[in-house]
Amino acid sequence: MNIEKMDSLEEKRIIILMSTYNGGDYLDEQLKSIYAQTYKKFRVYVRDDGSQDLTKEILNQYKQQYENFEWFSGENEGASKSFFLLMKIVPLEDAIYVFADQDDVWLPPKLQHIYKVFETDDNMKPVLYCGDTILADDKLQILKKENFGKKIYPSFGNALIENICIGCTSAMNSCLLSKLVEKVPQYEVMHDWWFYLTAACYGTVIYDSEPLLYYRQHEGNAVGSGATKRSRLARRIRNHKKHKNQISRQVEEFSEIYQVYGENAGLIECIKRYKDSPKACWKLVTNRNIRRQCSLDNVIFKILFLLKQL
């Protein structure tokens, strides 16, 4: 798909995509943080996924107040499908596409920071930006976070078995957006993981360790705050087994939609064949390019692969 370029990178604007669903408790606070950004050249597109609370009233208020705000109403599809539907609606131009959740709060320089990352992007290959967050409870009190500040190394081998792209931190160029909407997957674990897979396979993934938003948790959870190594290990195993077969199913879908060559094709074959071939399974387990970011997680995953549990 040919995308007409603007005369100057300085003219490139930001397009914000948000999916809402019964978000009345926090939506106004999030939208206020977006309109308080230091970078002002943006437009907001929202797809409501069948809300039954005050969400639509809030969206109408912003539509009346701001010319750069549009929203659409749709049937309930779930967050992942809703974002893909919205991606097909928004205008495809030489812009930066920034994704937002309905319940977070952005720091004022978030968009300016993202703009600088993409300022010299020539839009010739897919580029995905994602990053860290400030984990907070429903009242925006900061929560303890495991592995805070840990160095992240994006790669296709990592994307096959782990998602480092939190959707509310993600941004992309139009080259990646156009590739993502050419053929929307029938199955994906989540939209943001699919972003990571596609960008890691065909382009560049930029992981930013500087958090630019409060990532609100609605339940009084203890994400990443297990008291002991043993409790953290048990929690990890439960989480991994809960998603049994999702990884291999997603990889199958990816290989059906896209043509993959070279080393990346070999990595995909490792995962596709590991359940049927002991040789392929051992090759997967010993492949250093297929790995998770955390050493403990990586060991757990290799064991679960050996046990044919993923």
Side-chain angles (χ1 to χ4, degrees), residues 34-95:
I34 290 175
Y35 278 93
Q37 291 294 297
T38 57
Y39 187 85
K40 302 297 184 182
K41 192 172 183 179
F42 64 85
R43 189 167 189 86
V44 180
Y45 289 88
V46 181
R47 181 189 181 276
D48 184 72
D49 197 35
S51 293
Q52 298 177 353
D53 64 350
L54 297 176
T55 295
K56 293 180 180 179
E57 294 181 24
I58 296 171
L59 295 175
N60 277 328
Q61 291 171 6
Y62 276 82
K63 170 65 176 173
Q64 294 170 8
Q65 186 174 359
Y66 296 101
E67 293 183 354
N68 63 339
F69 187 91
E70 296 284 345
W71 76 277
F72 313 91
S73 183
E75 299 295 326
N76 182 252
E77 300 283 353
S80 186
K81 296 300 183 187
S82 182
F83 269 112
F84 274 112
L85 288 168
L86 182 56
M87 289 160 63
K88 297 179 75 171
I89 293 173
V90 297
L92 185 59
E93 59 185 71
D94 189 16

Side-chain angles (χ1 to χ4, degrees), residues 147-170:
N147 294 328
F148 182 79
K150 176 180 172 61
K151 184 68 175 177
I152 300 294
Y153 299 95
S155 71
F156 184 64
N158 175 238
L160 289 170
I161 64 171
E162 179 180 21
N163 182 28
I164 64 168
C165 177
I166 302 174
C168 59
T169 71
S170 63

Side-chain angles (χ1 to χ4, degrees), residues 247-292:
I247 288 177
S248 55
R249 186 178 173 190
Q250 179 170 255
V251 171
E252 287 276 359
E253 178 79 1
F254 190 84
S255 66
E256 289 179 9
I257 288 181
Y258 295 121
Q259 291 185 329
V260 184
Y261 302 100
E263 182 181 351
N264 288 345
L267 298 180
I268 285 178
E269 284 303 308
C270 279
I271 293 180
K272 288 175 63 176
R273 297 178 57 238
Y274 89 94
K275 289 186 178 181
D276 301 322
S277 167
K279 183 178 180 180
C281 182
W282 183 248
K283 186 175 180 180
L284 184 155
V285 171
T286 57
N287 193 318
R288 295 184 178 182
N289 291 321
I290 300 177
R291 61 170 290 110
R292 288 175 63 94

Side-chain angles (χ1 to χ4, degrees), residues 72-132:
F72 313 91
S73 183
E75 299 295 326
N76 182 252
E77 300 283 353
S80 186
K81 296 300 183 187
S82 182
F83 269 112
F84 274 112
L85 288 168
L86 182 56
M87 289 160 63
K88 297 179 75 171
I89 293 173
V90 297
L92 185 59
E93 59 185 71
D94 189 16
I96 305 164
Y97 295 83
V98 177
F99 290 75
D101 282 354
Q102 64 184 5
D103 45 11
D104 302 323
V105 172
W106 289 6
L107 300 183
K110 174 177 167 67
L111 289 184
Q112 185 68 50
H113 184 91
I114 290 174
Y115 176 80
K116 289 181 179 178
V117 172
F118 284 86
E119 190 172 13
T120 58
D121 172 48
D122 60 9
N123 203 36
M124 297 300 292
K125 65 178 181 178
V127 177
L128 173 68
Y129 165 96
C130 56
D132 207 344

